[in-house]
Amino acid sequence: KVMVKKIMFLGNHELKDTELKTIMHTQEETLFSGLSGSGNFKEFHFKTDVEKLKYYYKSKGFLQINIGNPIITVSEDKKWIFITVNVKEGPKFKVNDIFFNGELLFTESEMRKEIKLISEEIYSEETLRKDIQVLTEMYQDKGYAFANVLRRLQIVPGENKVDIHYSFEKG
């Protein structure tokens, strides 16, 4: 078994290493690794970890997050690996405006009351996902079981803001 000795992040300024490590399934080896199984390196889990990190950053407003291919170094005795993750956070984005179009069953004000992302708030991928769920359920409550809510993000040129466009299909 190859154990993870150290996970390092380079280029992260806003989010600390300890915070990012808590998001990951891949963990560094500890005294209790023999009991818990933590510290083992599994490539599948690690690839998932990179996606989880991107999602986490986007939920904190970093729409232009870029996580490079991690550098994995193996010790000479082939017992330990060291993981270095290069991060380019980019700017933190706020919501500029929200638009609704397509097959609308509700007024704009009714939909705005139900969603959590609002103008001038920090953009969050997690909150957006929940808002899409709420909007979809509004349509399903009206009998449209196969309603589809699509979203499109449009970055406002020259500003760290994003417009959110929701498009509705009744199904």
Side-chain angles (χ1 to χ4, degrees), residues 97-100 107-119 135:
D97 205 352
I98 299 170
F99 302 95
F100 302 93
T107 65
E108 194 173 304
S109 62
E110 287 174 313
M111 290 188 280
R112 285 186 189 275
K113 270 191 244 175
E114 298 299 321
I115 61 175
K116 302 288 184 236
L117 269 181
I118 57 173
S119 294
L135 293 169

Side-chain angles (χ1 to χ4, degrees), residues 5-150:
K5 185 69 171 176
K6 184 84 175 145
I7 301 172
M8 295 177 291
F9 295 91
L10 300 176
N12 57 315
H13 303 291
E14 294 287 326
L15 304 182
K16 303 293 174 227
D17 289 17
T18 51
E19 183 178 357
L20 296 175
K21 287 177 188 178
T22 61
I23 305 304
M24 300 173 66
H25 184 275
T26 304
Q27 296 290 312
E28 296 171 342
E29 186 262 350
T30 65
L31 288 173
F32 303 106
S33 292
L35 300 172
S36 68
S38 68
N40 292 336
F41 181 77
K42 295 184 176 94
E43 191 173 354
F44 170 76
H45 289 306
F46 187 68
K47 286 181 179 179
T48 305
D49 286 340
V50 171
E51 294 307 311
K52 285 165 69 176
L53 287 169
K54 287 178 186 176
Y55 183 80
Y56 185 72
Y57 260 102
K58 287 181 179 180
S59 291
K60 296 288 185 183
F62 297 94
L63 274 178
Q64 296 175 329
I65 181 65
N66 186 357
I67 297 179
N69 285 334
I71 299 165
I72 300 174
T73 311
V74 181
S75 65
E76 285 186 29
D77 60 6
K78 300 200 183 338
K79 289 183 181 177
W80 304 103
I81 64 169
F82 302 85
I83 301 170
T84 304
V85 182
N86 287 305
V87 176
K88 289 184 184 152
E89 293 174 330
K92 191 180 265 194
F93 282 80
K94 287 185 175 184
V95 175
N96 185 50
D97 205 352
I98 299 170
F99 302 95
F100 302 93
N101 57 51
E103 299 173 308
L104 301 178
L105 293 178
F106 302 92
T107 65
E108 194 173 304
S109 62
E110 287 174 313
M111 290 188 280
R112 285 186 189 275
K113 270 191 244 175
E114 298 299 321
I115 61 175
K116 302 288 184 236
L117 269 181
I118 57 173
S119 294
E120 297 305 315
E121 293 278 319
I122 298 294
Y123 172 82
S124 170
E125 191 81 13
E126 177 71 13
T127 306
L128 180 75
R129 187 186 62 75
K130 289 177 182 174
D131 284 350
I132 289 171
Q133 182 66 37
V134 166
L135 293 169
T136 302
E137 287 170 3
M138 286 173 70
Y139 272 68
Q140 290 171 342
D141 290 346
K142 288 277 191 188
Y144 294 94
F146 300 104
N148 197 8
V149 180
L150 305 170

Side-chain angles (χ1 to χ4, degrees), residues 149-164:
V149 180
L150 305 170
R151 58 104 161 148
R152 182 173 55 89
L153 302 178
Q154 186 175 357
I155 293 174
V156 178
E159 297 184 49
N160 295 335
K161 293 185 177 184
V162 63
D163 288 333
I164 302 170

